[in-house]
Amino acid sequence: MLEAFSTPHNQTVSFVFLIVCALSAIASGVVGISDNPPGFLLAFLAAAAFLLAFVHPWRKARPFRFLFYGSVLGLIIFGILHNGLDALASKGANAGALHLLLERLGVAAFYLAVFGFPPAFLIGAVGWVAMSIRNRRRPPHVHDTAA
């Protein structure tokens, strides 16, 4: 079972993050994201809240480090995927089902690269640093026993 839903407290926090996600996504859709910074920030907040709903119980730096690395890799892969799908869709002169599928997959890859991975990058980086500092082990005290 996911750690985010393992205790009543974690369930409540996850539920609140999911509500923030839904409200931010709806507001972003109403405001619009095309050339509109408030809409873009609301979409970014929706993605961040969705991710935080699942990662908020993490208390070690390692999972945040993997989230950070995965978001960088995902951004690169989905950026390349978007460009490749866009190129394939533009080569097809007809507006058939394959053209439409490639176009929609390209758009989905673009939105994931733009709105999904940057919040994961930020949450991974901040969580990695915060948990590294929080869990830093202090060197043992050395007592002087000299007489």
Side-chain angles (χ1 to χ4, degrees):
M1 184 175 202
L2 286 173
E3 200 174 335
F5 301 106
S6 62
T7 66
H9 178 266
N10 284 351
Q11 289 174 356
T12 303
V13 173
S14 294
F15 185 67
V16 168
F17 277 129
L18 289 173
I19 289 173
V20 170
C21 171
L23 293 176
S24 297
I26 291 168
S28 175
V30 169
V31 172
I33 58 172
S34 179
D35 292 333
N36 191 359
F40 184 81
L41 289 174
L42 285 167
F44 190 88
L45 177 64
F50 182 77
L51 186 60
L52 284 170
F54 298 99
V55 304
H56 71 88
W58 293 354
R59 296 293 178 253
K60 296 191 180 196
R62 188 174 187 208
F64 284 107
R65 187 175 71 228
F66 288 149
L67 178 63
F68 175 79
Y69 292 149
S71 66
V72 171
L73 186 62
L75 181 64
I76 293 167
I77 290 171
F78 276 82
I80 293 169
L81 182 64
H82 162 67
N83 289 336
L85 289 170
D86 191 42
L88 283 173
S90 67
K91 284 188 178 195
N94 60 356
L98 181 61
H99 172 75
L100 186 62
L101 176 66
L102 290 173
E103 202 171 71
R104 290 193 178 169
L105 286 174
V107 169
F110 172 77
Y111 280 134
L112 192 56
V114 170
F115 293 114
F117 292 114
F121 175 85
L122 183 64
I123 291 169
V126 170
W128 182 9
V129 170
M131 291 302 137
S132 293
I133 291 170
R134 180 177 181 244
N135 296 333
R136 186 181 326 153
R137 296 180 190 221
R138 295 184 179 163
H141 264 314
V142 178
H143 297 289
D144 285 331
T145 56

